[in-house]
Amino acid sequence: MAAIKITRALLSVSDKTGIVELGQALARHGVELVSTGGTAKALREAGLEVRDISDLTGFPEMMDGRVKTLHPKVHGGLLAVRDDPAHVAAMVEHDIGAIDLVVVNLYPFLQTVMKGADRPEIIENIDIGGPSMVRSAAKNHAFVAIVTDPADYPVLVAEMDASGGATTLDLRKRLAARAFAATAAYDGMIASWFGFADQGEAFPETLPITLKRGAALRYGENPHQKAAFYTATGPQARGVGQARQVQGKELSYNNYNDADAALELVSEFRNAAPTVVIVKHANPCGVATAATIEQAYAEAFACDTVSAFGGIIALNRALDEATARAISGIFTEVVIAPDADEAALAIFAAKKNLRLLLTGELPDPARAGIMAKSITGGWLVQTRDNGAAHDLKVVTKRQPTEAELADCRFAWTVAKHVKSNAIVYARDGATAGIGAGQMNRLESARIAAWKAKDAADKAGWATPRTIGSAVASDAFFPFADGLLAAVEAGATAVIQPGGSIRDDEVIAAADAAGLAMVFTGMRHFRH
């Protein structure tokens, strides 16, 4: 199909970014500008000649602007098939002029919700005429160009300049695809607000999820897989996807996945003392809290110096010079922190492949939200695991000491972010050994103890840090054998959910070994 010359354009935008410059470019090509309300005012103030939409339709804007473009002279001008004789005859009979270009962006519904507006204001920011024009123009893209994003204005102008004021079918098809995606996302946001916020439904009958492509990735989890990263929208969208990348090559699929795991865990400590998390293959391999961020890194690194190589490091404090120097001592894929000082940035600048992400404020670990996972034929959807154990129940004869209880809580927080079955030993605010992803809990306990002994041997310590540690299990011990493995490793306190039919046997074994054990009443499986 031949290029379509633009003779009339309808402009009606909420976001006025670049609209005057676009209007000037269209006027340069002799395009008649038709516009509404504030858009018309902005164009006129720039000295452009503009025809009001009410002049085109013969009806005034009414009902506080709710009705202005919902008219046959608008939608007829957009939907008419220009090479269909019956359509052309109808246009002539009803004095409907063709509209060759629509420039529309929609009422700021999401921004209105995010600023905490009341319900009436939110409802008024549901755009009706805008999406209707967008869909009409996009459906008739064979003849009409539709632009919904100011970022596309230069593309449109460049093509018009190159084509004598016309647009090609190829561009119109691309713009139509973007337009339908824009209205789908817009309607999805509205449906989400009605379902989650207005109606209070945790799981509405239809679940709209709005995502925007951020980056096309080199490949997926493996080189033969294709991948892209999509960012979430809405008031809860804060995390790796919104972090600012200061340096380093592009993030890979696995980088995103591991960085998210590290950020989720370090955010549990956002109001705590300086804390560092080291993650490898989505599992923490070292976590520590200390007086300084440099010391916290050293303690976390000591837990597993082998796995830390090529890992992801997350901090709950700004990255400083001393910590940057320490991190630079081994190969690290990604460092993620709230901020970084100039000295730290200068040190990392020499590590060209190291990605540094700055998040600003860390996410709230207690925030609401949903998590979705694709399976064959559908999706599994659940609320975020934002639960925290507040009421601990001591079930053994011996009460835990204050230090043991602190280490229990620390180990429990880390275990929440370890793949099941998860066993975590901790002492003095640092992980001593982590056992992840085993098919039975006994093996996780043994692996964690073995890793602690290996770390002690590498560091030249007399004993592994599991001696005198607290041990956390993400789910109940179904038998006493897993707990006895922890006793053998040197643990003196245990934290677990409880709830097994053999709890009495496990408690008896703990009492026999002189352990202190607390139940949380809450499980933290992570698969």
Side-chain angles (χ1 to χ4, degrees):
M1 180 176 291
I4 301 294
K5 186 174 177 59
I6 297 175
T7 59
R8 175 183 286 169
L10 197 163
L11 293 77
S12 181
V13 295
S14 175
D15 179 0
K16 305 295 191 295
T17 302
I19 194 63
V20 168
E21 292 78 8
L22 176 62
Q24 291 168 338
L26 294 173
R28 190 174 70 247
H29 284 284
V31 177
E32 178 188 9
L33 305 182
V34 179
S35 192
T36 62
T39 306
K41 181 174 183 291
L43 295 171
R44 286 196 181 100
E45 288 176 350
L48 293 167
E49 185 177 342
V50 182
R51 184 180 182 185
D52 286 323
I53 192 72
S54 57
D55 181 61
L56 179 73
T57 63
F59 275 82
E61 294 185 22
M62 62 181 71
M63 301 175 184
D64 298 320
R66 284 191 170 198
V67 179
K68 51 190 173 186
T69 60
L70 298 170
H71 194 279
K73 286 198 174 182
V74 172
H75 289 278
L78 295 175
L79 286 166
V81 178
R82 311 293 171 78
D83 56 6
D84 183 321
H87 285 214
V88 173
M91 293 175 73
V92 172
E93 179 182 357
H94 299 287
D95 192 26
I96 297 173
I99 300 173
D100 311 301
L101 168 67
V102 175
V103 180
V104 168
N105 52 63
L106 310 176
Y107 291 175
F109 178 83
L110 177 60
Q111 294 89 327
T112 303
V113 172
M114 290 180 68
K115 75 177 185 179
D118 59 19
R119 193 176 191 278
E121 184 178 355
I122 290 172
I123 295 300
E124 284 308 309
N125 275 277
I126 297 175
D127 203 333
I128 302 301
S132 299
M133 289 190 293
V134 169
R135 291 176 61 81
S136 292
K139 176 175 180 176
N140 204 27
H141 62 269
F143 304 98
V144 182
I146 170 64
V147 180
T148 57
D149 188 340
D152 288 325
Y153 295 172
V155 177
L156 172 69
V157 172
E159 178 150 305
M160 290 180 67
D161 288 344
S163 306
T167 60
T168 63
L169 178 60
D170 182 63
L171 176 62
R172 295 195 299 276
K173 286 167 63 176
R174 296 201 311 271
L175 292 174
R178 290 172 63 83
F180 279 120
T183 56
Y186 192 74
D187 285 340
M189 288 186 287
I190 295 169
S192 292
W193 177 80
F194 268 106
F196 292 113
D198 191 58
Q199 304 299 311
E201 297 178 352
F203 302 103
E205 184 177 351
T206 299
L207 178 64
I209 299 177
T210 302
L211 303 172
K212 185 176 180 60
R213 192 179 70 192
L217 308 179
R218 287 182 297 163
Y219 53 82
E221 199 165 8
N222 298 291
H224 64 275
Q225 295 173 270
K226 295 181 179 179
F229 175 68
Y230 284 80
T231 57
T233 58
Q236 300 296 336
R238 177 185 296 160
V240 174
Q242 289 70 40
R244 178 170 65 93
Q245 183 169 353
V246 176
Q247 70 161 64
K249 58 186 178 181
E250 294 178 352
L251 294 167
S252 70
Y253 179 98
N254 292 327
N255 289 155
Y256 274 112
N257 190 53
D258 290 351
D260 178 66
L263 181 60
E264 284 276 34
L265 176 47
V266 84
S267 294
E268 299 273 5
F269 298 93
R270 72 174 189 163
N271 296 320
T275 302
V276 171
V277 170
I278 306 175
V279 162
K280 187 69 171 290
H281 296 310
N283 271 306
C285 58
V287 184
T289 294
T292 68
I293 204 72
E294 179 189 14
Q295 183 184 349
Y297 171 71
E299 296 283 336
F301 179 68
C303 180
D304 188 347
T305 59
V306 174
S307 298
F309 183 86
I312 309 290
I313 300 173
L315 299 76
N316 74 341
R317 293 287 194 280
L319 178 70
D320 59 22
E321 180 180 8
T323 310
R325 288 193 186 281
I327 291 172
S328 296
I330 66 164
F331 170 60
T332 300
E333 288 273 7
V334 180
V335 174
I336 184 166
D339 204 349
D341 65 28
E342 291 300 322
L345 293 175
I347 291 169
F348 273 12
K351 297 279 187 177
K352 299 299 183 184
N353 290 331
L354 172 62
R355 294 94 160 175
L356 175 60
L357 305 179
L358 301 183
T359 63
E361 184 182 1
L362 295 177
D364 180 1
R367 70 191 184 279
I370 61 169
M371 302 175 69
K373 177 182 179 181
S374 64
I375 61 172
T376 305
W379 292 76
L380 291 171
V381 179
Q382 63 177 343
T383 57
R384 290 188 70 256
D385 183 4
N386 57 6
H390 297 295
D391 300 319
L392 302 182
K393 178 183 178 182
V394 179
V395 295
T396 49
K397 295 175 182 177
R398 184 170 79 79
Q399 295 280 327
T401 66
E402 187 175 329
E404 285 175 328
L405 192 57
D407 281 337
C408 279
R409 291 187 180 277
F410 180 87
W412 179 251
T413 301
V414 175
K416 175 182 173 182
H417 295 267
V418 177
K419 302 295 185 184
S420 298
N421 288 313
I423 294 290
V424 176
Y425 296 91
R427 194 181 78 189
D428 300 329
T431 53
I434 300 173
Q438 297 306 300
M439 286 64 74
N440 66 76
R441 202 157 298 279
L442 174 60
E443 293 305 313
S444 288
R446 287 171 172 168
I447 288 172
W450 170 78
K451 290 173 78 70
K453 185 179 183 305
D454 185 62
D457 291 342
K458 285 184 169 63
W461 300 330
T463 59
R465 296 180 68 177
T466 50
I467 304 299
S469 67
V471 62
S473 174
D474 65 341
F476 61 66
F477 285 104
F479 303 97
D481 55 359
L483 181 134
L484 293 174
V487 172
E488 186 178 345
T492 61
V494 181
I495 184 169
Q496 59 136 321
S500 168
I501 59 173
R502 293 183 176 84
D503 273 351
D504 289 344
E505 295 176 24
V506 176
I507 293 170
D511 282 333
L515 296 180
M517 183 161 66
V518 295
F519 281 3
T520 66
M522 177 183 293
R523 188 181 74 185
H524 280 309
F525 272 165
R526 182 174 289 257
H527 292 111

